[in-house]
Amino acid sequence: MVLFLSPLASNAVNKGRKNKVPSKKQSTSISVNKSIDPPFNYSKFLKEWKKSYISQKEMMLFIFQYANSGMLRRRKVPKYVDFRNYLIDSNLFQLNVLENIRSIGQNEMMRKSLMEYVQKVIHRNQNPKECRNIDVIVYDPQPICGFGCQIHHIAYCLTTALGEGKPLVVKPSRWHEFNSIFDLIMPLSETCRYDMINTHQLRVKSIDVTYDYQVKEFLPQAFPDNIRKQIEEFHTDPFLWWIGQIIMYILRLKPHILKRLKPIEFTSPIVG
């Protein structure tokens, strides 16, 4: 990714690290017999945590699929004891414990610092000071699928634009029953608009996601490799976190849409 290959990237995210290198004067005052604890390795911890979590989850799914209420019951055990449900409850408890452990064993300062930095980089890429006589990526949304599908298309286009270091300009085409998808979400740029292409001599490179786009290096699961180590200090799947940042920037809903949204209280597990 072009914008993430500059020295600014490593400098900005490293602001989250508070480990100070002791001066020579400080180091000479340390006793030879005094041990110094090594810094906590968040990345290594999360990798081991992921193994335990997946193993526990696989066990629970196995019980769900192959066990039934009576197959694990012994004669001396009261009839009201259901081993299957007991094992399920036990596994759910262990998964909850693992989730709590993960929240402790991750570099929260790094997460906040990197998230803030990535959002600033996206905003900077999307909002050049002068949108004139520059290269832009253009996408024209088509009513070929629903809202979630369209957001995925825009996310791919934005990822490509970031990778090439060009603003993404989305044409405000009519989309289903809306004048454009920007009836729902905020504009992706405050300085570059589609109607400026001719008036501001913008050099256009169009993306048609309904066909096989030729730039393969930005297809999922691509992400800036030079921030991998920072992501691994608080997340077990770097690409998942990265695409989440892209979606978060896109899904800045219009104020009137936010007012109409109401929280849904689920009373049972929901899939999908």
Side-chain angles (χ1 to χ4, degrees), residues 210-265:
T210 58
Y211 297 97
D212 192 15
Y213 188 61
Q214 59 183 351
V215 183
K216 303 291 186 182
E217 59 265 35
F218 304 122
L219 287 172
Q221 301 182 2
F223 69 95
D225 191 62
N226 62 321
I227 59 173
R228 175 191 292 272
K229 290 184 179 179
Q230 286 89 342
I231 299 175
E232 287 179 344
E233 291 203 13
F234 57 84
H235 205 285
T236 58
D237 192 328
F239 167 75
L240 192 62
W241 182 86
W242 162 252
I243 199 64
Q245 297 304 305
I246 299 293
I247 298 296
M248 184 168 71
Y249 183 85
I250 296 171
L251 282 183
R252 294 168 297 136
L253 299 177
K254 288 287 186 69
H256 71 278
I257 297 296
L258 286 172
K259 289 181 180 179
R260 298 181 64 178
L261 294 178
K262 296 181 180 179
I264 301 175
E265 295 183 3

Side-chain angles (χ1 to χ4, degrees), residues 12 14 17 19 26 40 97 145 159 174 182 190 203 207 218 220 223 228 256:
N14 282 332
R17 301 180 185 273
N19 298 330
Q26 290 174 322
F40 185 78
V97 170
C145 57
T159 301
R174 185 164 183 81
F182 295 111
E190 300 168 4
R203 295 182 293 275
I207 294 182
F218 304 122
F223 69 95
R228 175 191 292 272
H256 71 278

Side-chain angles (χ1 to χ4, degrees), residues 139 142 144-145 148-158 209-210:
Y139 171 58
Q142 301 295 322
I144 57 175
C145 57
C149 172
Q150 197 61 253
I151 294 300
H152 284 157
H153 289 173
I154 296 176
Y156 167 63
C157 294
L158 182 55
V209 296
T210 58

Side-chain angles (χ1 to χ4, degrees), residues 8-9 15 26 29 83 119 123 142 160 164 200-201 210 214 241 259 265 270:
L8 177 62
K15 289 181 180 179
Q26 290 174 322
S29 63
F83 274 103
Q119 291 300 314
H123 183 269
Q142 301 295 322
T160 303
E164 297 190 6
H200 289 63
Q201 294 81 47
T210 58
Q214 59 183 351
W241 182 86
K259 289 181 180 179
E265 295 183 3
I270 301 297

